[in-house]
Amino acid sequence: MLRFQGLLRDTWWLWLGLAIAGVVLAIFVSPVFLVTFPIGLFSFVYFGLLRYDERGNPKDRL
């Protein structure tokens, strides 16, 4: 759980922007833009697992 807290700590502005953009586009353009939420959730979990360790710190680059 700490890895996801670390990711959110470092990139909260990105996830907030993605959520706002998804809502605005779904309201004003087409409901198909609601698909940004499952895509964003998958991306969040993916980057949390790959880029952060169990203590919530970014992993060193190889």
Side-chain angles (χ1 to χ4, degrees), residues 7-21:
L7 177 62
L8 194 58
R9 176 190 66 231
D10 294 339
T11 60
W12 64 269
W13 52 271
L14 177 68
W15 305 111
L16 182 63
L18 184 65
I20 290 172

Side-chain angles (χ1 to χ4, degrees), residues 16-56:
L16 182 63
L18 184 65
I20 290 172
V23 168
V24 168
L25 288 172
I27 291 171
F28 292 110
V29 178
S30 173
V32 74
F33 286 102
L34 291 174
V35 77
T36 59
F37 295 111
I39 292 171
L41 180 62
F42 174 78
S43 299
F44 183 79
V45 170
Y46 177 76
F47 284 112
L49 291 175
L50 288 182
R51 300 289 181 178
Y52 288 82
D53 63 10
E54 296 82 18
R55 290 175 283 156

